[in-house]
Amino acid sequence: MNSSLKLFSVRGIDIRVHLTFPLILVWAAFQFGVLGGGGLAGAMFGIISISLLFVLVTLHELGHSFAALHYGVPVERIVLLPIGGVAQLGHMPDNPKQEFVIALAGPAVNVALAILMGGAALLFGLSLTNPLTSGVSLTIGAIFSYIFFYNVILAVFNMIPAFPMDGGRVLRAVLAMRLDYGRSTQIAAGIGRTLALLFGIYGLFNGQFFSVLIAIFIFTGATQEARMVQFRQRLRGYTVQQAYSNQVPVLQPADSLREVVNWTARGQTDFPVAQFGTYVGFLGSERLMRALQHNGPDQSVASVMAKDVEPVTLTTDLFDVQQRFAREKLGALPVVEYGRIVGIISSRHIRHMLRMAAMRPELFPRVRSA
Ligand code: ZN
C-alpha cells in the first residue's frame, strides 16, 4: 500500500500511482528526446503523450470499477503501473455473468471513446494519422489522432484472450456459463500461458524488452489465478468441523491488549471475543497490530475489536470460508454454535487439513452438496 501515492479519488475509489510509475515518463522523455532526436521539445512531447495514454488507462479502469460497484463488488483502489493500470476489486464475483460484464466494461470505455473521437474527427474534417509514424507534433489534429489510436490499441490489446487480461476473463466467463468454473479457469489459463509464451519468444527474438516484460506478467498472472481457483475448488465439500481448532483463548471485552499480547507470545494470533459466552466481536492479528502500534497496550479489547465479523458455524463449507478470508482480508474467523464460541478457523488450519486429507482421504469424507 505504501508503494503507491494517491492522486485523487472518484466515487470513493482512490486513484494511485505506483512508485515505479515515473520510470515510464523517463523512458518516454528519453525515447522522444534523445533517441528520437527531438531534444527538449521531444522529451516534453513524450511525457505529454504518455500521460494522455494513462488518462485513458484510468478511464478504462473506471469502466471496470463502475461495473463492479453496480454488482455490489467493492473497489479498493486503482493503481497505475508503468505497464498499465489495475483496478483492485474487493473480490472477483464467481457469477460468470457478472465477471463477463465487469471484464468487458473496461475495453467498452475505450471503444466508446474511439468512436467518439473518430466521429468528431470526421465532423471537423481532421485526418486521423497513425501517431506512431507521424512524428513529434501536438496540434489539435494530432491529439485527436492520439486519443483515437490509443483507445483502439487499448481495446484490442486488453481483449487478447489471455488471463489475467480482460479478454481472458471474458473467455473464462463465457466458458463458465456452460462448463464447471474450475475447468473453465484451467482452459482460460492454459490459453493465456501459451499466448504469453509465444509473445515472450517473439519479444526475445526481436529485442523488444517491453513485450518480454508483458509476457512474464501475463504468464505469472495466469498461473496464479489458476492455482488460486484450483485451491478453492479443492475445498468444496469440506466443512469447518473437519478443520477448526477448539483450543482458542476467548477474550472478554474488558480485557486489555496487554493481556492479549501474552497470548500472542504463545502462538495465538486471532481472537474471538465473548461476553458471558456469547460471541460479541473478533480481534484479528492485523487489527491487533495496528491498535498496538497507534495507541499502545492499555486499550480495552472492546474498543479495538471488529463487531462486524460474521462468525461461521461447524457446517459452513470451507470454500465459503476461504472466500471470506480473501474478501475480508482476514487470516481467521470465529466459529460459533447457537451463538456460543466453540473455536476458530484459520488458513493454517485449512492447509493442514488438506495435507492430511491428501494422505488419508477416508478420514475426511466430503459432504456432497447438490
Ligand atoms: Zn481492463
Side-chain angles (χ1 to χ4, degrees):
M1 242 212 270
N2 296 322
S3 54
S4 62
L5 290 172
K6 181 179 165 179
L7 290 181
F8 55 93
S9 76
V10 182
R11 278 178 68 184
I13 305 162
D14 282 1
I15 316 283
R16 307 179 70 99
V17 283
H18 196 259
L19 291 183
T20 56
F21 183 77
L23 285 177
I24 188 81
L25 298 178
V26 172
W27 173 84
F30 183 74
Q31 190 74 26
F32 289 91
V34 180
L35 295 182
L40 189 63
M44 284 306 291
F45 167 81
I47 290 173
I48 290 172
S49 62
I50 286 292
S51 303
L52 196 61
L53 173 63
F54 274 88
V55 169
L56 301 176
V57 167
T58 306
L59 292 174
H60 170 108
E61 297 305 331
L62 282 172
H64 290 306
S65 304
F66 288 173
L69 289 177
H70 173 75
Y71 289 118
V73 174
V75 181
E76 277 152 19
R77 63 187 78 86
I78 290 172
V79 183
L80 300 176
L81 299 152
I83 55 167
V86 192
Q88 292 176 346
L89 307 184
H91 59 95
M92 248 305 173
D94 278 345
N95 178 328
K97 211 191 102 197
Q98 294 185 2
E99 186 180 29
F100 179 82
V101 174
I102 295 172
L104 212 54
V109 168
N110 299 119
V111 170
L113 285 172
I115 292 172
L116 209 67
M117 284 297 133
L122 271 180
L123 203 67
F124 298 116
L126 300 168
S127 72
L128 293 177
T129 50
N130 184 346
L132 299 173
T133 57
S134 66
V136 177
S137 77
L138 273 182
T139 59
I140 294 289
I143 289 174
F144 262 80
S145 298
Y146 268 95
I147 299 178
F148 176 77
F149 278 96
Y150 277 157
N151 276 305
V152 171
I153 291 167
L154 282 173
V156 171
F157 179 70
N158 278 291
M159 285 308 287
I160 296 171
F163 243 7
M165 314 272 293
D166 299 332
R169 295 195 176 282
V170 169
L171 174 67
R172 194 252 306 265
V174 170
L175 290 171
M177 286 172 195
R178 294 176 174 272
L179 300 171
D180 161 73
Y181 191 78
R183 181 93 192 96
S184 306
T185 305
Q186 298 307 327
I187 296 172
I191 294 173
R193 275 191 294 232
T194 309
L195 287 176
L197 213 57
L198 294 175
F199 195 56
I201 291 169
Y202 170 83
L204 217 55
F205 279 104
N206 290 282
Q208 290 177 359
F209 169 71
F210 235 63
S211 308
V212 177
L213 207 67
I214 289 169
I216 293 171
F217 167 77
I218 294 174
F219 194 91
T220 51
T223 307
Q224 269 173 11
E225 176 89 18
R227 208 173 278 163
M228 191 183 71
V229 170
Q230 201 177 26
F231 175 70
R232 288 194 190 156
Q233 296 292 338
R234 269 174 66 204
L235 294 176
R236 272 199 199 282
Y238 292 121
T239 59
V240 167
Q241 174 112 51
Q242 293 168 300
Y244 86 112
S245 164
N246 59 6
Q247 305 292 314
V248 62
V250 178
L251 305 177
Q252 305 281 324
D255 288 346
S256 77
L257 294 193
R258 203 177 286 279
E259 292 158 70
V260 185
V261 172
N262 288 332
W263 283 111
T264 59
R266 278 169 248 170
Q268 293 291 339
T269 50
D270 304 82
F271 304 87
V273 187
Q275 193 155 34
F276 311 118
T278 302
Y279 172 74
V280 291
F282 189 67
L283 187 53
S285 58
E286 282 298 317
R287 206 178 173 93
L288 173 63
M289 303 274 191
R290 247 184 297 127
L292 278 172
Q293 192 188 5
H294 290 147
N295 293 308
D298 294 317
Q299 309 165 78
S300 69
V301 164
S303 67
V304 296
M305 70 185 186
K307 299 186 185 84
D308 56 353
V309 175
E310 194 68 31
V312 297
T313 69
L314 293 174
T315 55
T316 306
D317 196 285
L318 290 187
F319 176 85
D320 298 325
V321 174
Q322 193 65 41
Q323 287 279 74
R324 286 197 49 201
F325 285 162
R327 192 173 301 183
E328 295 168 38
K329 306 245 178 311
L330 289 170
L333 282 167
V335 184
V336 303
E337 206 170 28
Y338 307 114
R340 305 212 146 236
I341 291 289
V342 291
I344 196 165
I345 182 139
S346 68
S347 38
R348 190 166 52 88
H349 295 138
I350 293 179
R351 280 199 306 274
H352 189 68
M353 189 224 73
L354 279 180
R355 283 225 303 279
M356 289 203 291
M359 287 186 291
R360 289 267 162 239
E362 71 277 14
L363 297 178
F364 296 87
R366 287 185 194 230
V367 180
R368 284 276 158 233
S369 52

